Amino acid sequence: MLKSNAQDSKFGTITITALEEKVHPQDSAAVGAVLFSHVKMNLKMNGSTEKVTRKKVKIYKNGGYNLSNIQFYCPAGKSNNVEIVNAATYNLVDGKIVKTKLTSESEFVEKTNNDFWIKKITFPNVKEGSIIEYECKEWGGYLSDWSFQENIPVNYSELVTIIPDPYVFKKNIKGIYTPKVISKVANTYGYSAIETSYLFQNLPAMKEESYVNNINNYRSGISFELESVAIPGQFYKSFSNDWTNVAKTIYDFDNFGPELNKTGYFEDDLKKLLEGKNTSNAKITAILDYVKSTVTWNDYVGYSCAKGVRKAYKDKSGNCADINLMLTAMLRHAGLKANPVLTSTRSNGIAFFPTLSAFNYVIAAVENGDELILLDATDKYSAPNVLPLRALNWFGRLIRKDGTSESIDLAPKKTSLDNITVDYAIEANGQISGKVRHQFTEYNAMAFRNKFEKAKKDNYLDSLEEELGKIEIRDYSQININDILLSPVEIFSFSGTDLCELIGDKIYINPMLFFASTKNPFKQDKREYPIDFGFPFLEKYNINIRIPDGFVLETIPSANALVMEEGLGTFKYNIAVNENMLQLLIIHQINVPIVTTDQYGIIREYYKEMIAKQTQKIVLKKI
């Protein structure tokens, strides 16, 4: 146990030693640390819960000042469900401990929406070295999920649950660390209950790593799912779920399954739309495009219809369930074998356990022979089997009309391409001018279209010039920007004066210019979380360089090829000289959307060698 744990293991005890501590003993880079956290959730016989949180946080650096801003969620209109009992900031002044209590001015309620409000507190007199401490009481229903691990080190964390005997919960523990669990029989308010303590010591901070789906998927924590309630001689109900039961329960909701049977509102429009469309693919494309252009997503997720499909169609807007259940119904009416697919968005986390809250999104699927075509009409630039990135989260649950369901893999199978052709000339004074043709396919195409639309043309070109090394872009044009079934292409001319170095009678230049990868995103020795690229991709560069008159090639990079084990990907670097022209063909291909932690060493070395090659320069010497 850390020394500071023993000193600060009691609420209300602040020591000079803890205030004097300049850095965390096990993580010198930490801006702060949780010295002590104790949460007790006491479930009452009526199903309500009293939750008491006692917490003590040390702030080491000014980057940790935000740790003194605490917030609690409560139902709208019920801010009294959260009560701050004790809260204060402690500082060391002239060798003495000075306590600054929280004032009423530091506590306020943000009326967020009609569903919930946020009670916020801001601690006073916070500086480097401060310790903040607070006690909070909350009242709500059943047991809430709890995360032990935070973005700063946690010296001591304990969760205590008191659950009356009639209630049985599944305890779903997630994360790479396992708590110490101690249970005993307790007698509270005259009835028997089980008191369970979940204890962690010295939890490290959650690490920042590149290409992480949702870091909360790997945060050590626990969720509680009500399994059954049994009061002898009075009442019994089972809530036990597996994935099949979860899917069937959701399908039977009034704002889910029955919405799929409503067709009268679109039949006439659909009949006109499908005239002359005789193949399945033609029908799928036409219906998807029609829904995308007719009904706008209001940015709300959820697998239950908010307005209902009829009203969403009339209003021309709705949440993802309104839109994609409408899409499913239209596909079925057109004679296609279409069904909804429950999913969890990336922000909601991976659906590890079978609960009703595991999913928060729904898409459509068409079984077309042996092919399963996934569709989402909430994004105007989506296409068959090209879903918005938010929906690509491991697996979904397809539900058929009869209530049966099956798990389906949401990972994209088709490679998304960046096909880039660059032709440029180098002048003797170091000036470079040339032309770029950049083609996008699949997910890269959807991302490009969304990025361009969001930024608008002038802002997009400004950001592109900055992104590509402060070059000047002119004669910008696009092809296939609005036809979703075709690959969009952007074409532009460019010039720049800072793309090479002139040293003496030599010119040094990276032949890939602004397209070279210069930073390795995988530097750490050990990886805690899987690498999530989202989808397989291939970057292909055809580069043609004209050497200035009066110069010869002194040094060029050698050709190279890397093939990763387990079929993870390949890198090829080919270079050829033809009189005063230099030609390069470079391919960087990742074949899988997700790389496991066991494969991390393979891809780390791959990126290391690839970037080393991409950053090599050619040297031109004046004759």
Side-chain angles (χ1 to χ4, degrees), residues 294-490:
T294 303
V295 189
T296 302
W297 183 45
N298 60 14
D299 293 335
Y300 284 95
V301 298
Y303 52 67
S304 298
C305 290
K307 293 182 175 182
V309 290
R310 290 182 188 275
K311 193 171 189 309
Y313 192 73
K314 179 182 178 181
D315 293 349
K316 299 187 181 301
S317 71
N319 73 351
C320 72
D322 291 322
I323 292 172
N324 285 328
L325 293 184
M326 179 192 304
L327 172 65
T328 305
M330 288 186 182
L331 292 164
R332 286 181 175 180
H333 194 73
L336 298 164
K337 190 177 180 181
N339 292 293
V341 177
L342 296 168
T343 70
S344 174
T345 61
R346 287 174 170 250
S347 60
N348 190 55
I350 296 167
F352 286 115
F353 310 108
T355 66
L356 293 177
S357 61
F359 301 115
N360 72 328
Y361 202 79
V362 61
I363 60 174
V366 176
E367 296 177 72
N368 188 21
D370 294 333
E371 183 184 15
L372 187 66
I373 302 172
L374 303 179
L375 306 164
D376 187 338
T378 64
D379 190 307
K380 65 184 292 186
Y381 295 126
S382 71
N385 282 329
V386 181
L387 306 175
L389 193 61
R390 61 178 170 270
L392 299 182
N393 201 21
W394 288 27
F395 71 90
R397 195 84 194 174
L398 183 146
I399 318 176
R400 296 187 176 87
K401 288 182 180 180
D402 60 4
T404 61
S405 66
E406 66 176 275
S407 178
I408 62 169
D409 185 3
L410 297 174
K413 307 299 185 293
K414 197 170 181 181
T415 300
S416 295
L417 176 67
D418 274 312
N419 194 354
I420 302 166
T421 300
V422 187
D423 294 283
Y424 68 89
I426 307 170
E427 303 296 333
N429 62 359
Q431 174 80 16
I432 289 178
S433 58
K435 193 170 186 177
V436 171
R437 185 182 190 276
H438 191 167
Q439 179 189 37
F440 309 82
T441 73
E442 303 295 319
Y443 281 92
N444 289 336
M446 182 169 65
F448 167 68
R449 288 182 168 115
N450 277 310
K451 182 179 179 181
F452 185 81
E453 180 183 59
K454 184 177 180 180
K456 307 302 180 187
K457 183 176 180 179
D458 289 343
N459 291 336
Y460 174 80
L461 293 181
D462 289 342
S463 62
L464 187 61
E465 286 181 336
E466 185 71 23
E467 178 186 333
L468 298 183
K470 299 181 180 179
I471 60 173
E472 181 181 344
I473 290 177
R474 61 187 183 278
D475 302 328
Y476 183 88
S477 63
Q478 295 175 334
I479 302 172
N480 303 332
I481 189 66
N482 293 316
D483 192 333
I484 304 302
L485 296 183
L486 297 178
S487 301
V489 178
E490 65 176 0

Side-chain angles (χ1 to χ4, degrees), residues 259-320:
E259 295 289 328
L260 293 166
N261 298 323
K262 299 174 182 178
T263 62
Y265 63 97
F266 64 69
E267 287 182 359
D268 291 342
D269 295 332
L270 193 63
K271 184 178 179 180
K272 295 177 184 176
L273 177 70
L274 295 180
E275 287 180 359
K277 311 291 192 306
N278 299 318
T279 67
S280 295
N281 287 334
K283 292 178 181 179
I284 290 169
T285 300
I287 294 172
L288 176 63
D289 288 346
Y290 178 71
V291 176
K292 288 192 299 180
S293 62
T294 303
V295 189
T296 302
W297 183 45
N298 60 14
D299 293 335
Y300 284 95
V301 298
Y303 52 67
S304 298
C305 290
K307 293 182 175 182
V309 290
R310 290 182 188 275
K311 193 171 189 309
Y313 192 73
K314 179 182 178 181
D315 293 349
K316 299 187 181 301
S317 71
N319 73 351
C320 72

Side-chain angles (χ1 to χ4, degrees), residues 210-260:
S210 56
Y211 295 100
V212 175
N213 176 324
N214 180 342
I215 198 169
N216 290 323
N217 290 328
Y218 314 104
R219 193 182 299 274
S220 293
I222 185 170
S223 63
F224 300 91
E225 178 196 354
L226 183 61
E227 191 172 27
S228 64
V229 180
I231 301 176
Q234 298 182 45
F235 175 83
Y236 174 81
K237 186 171 182 179
S238 173
F239 301 90
S240 182
N241 280 322
D242 55 25
W243 289 118
T244 301
N245 288 333
V246 167
K248 190 175 188 312
T249 300
I250 292 173
Y251 195 88
D252 291 340
F253 285 163
D254 289 341
N255 48 12
F256 193 95
E259 295 289 328
L260 293 166

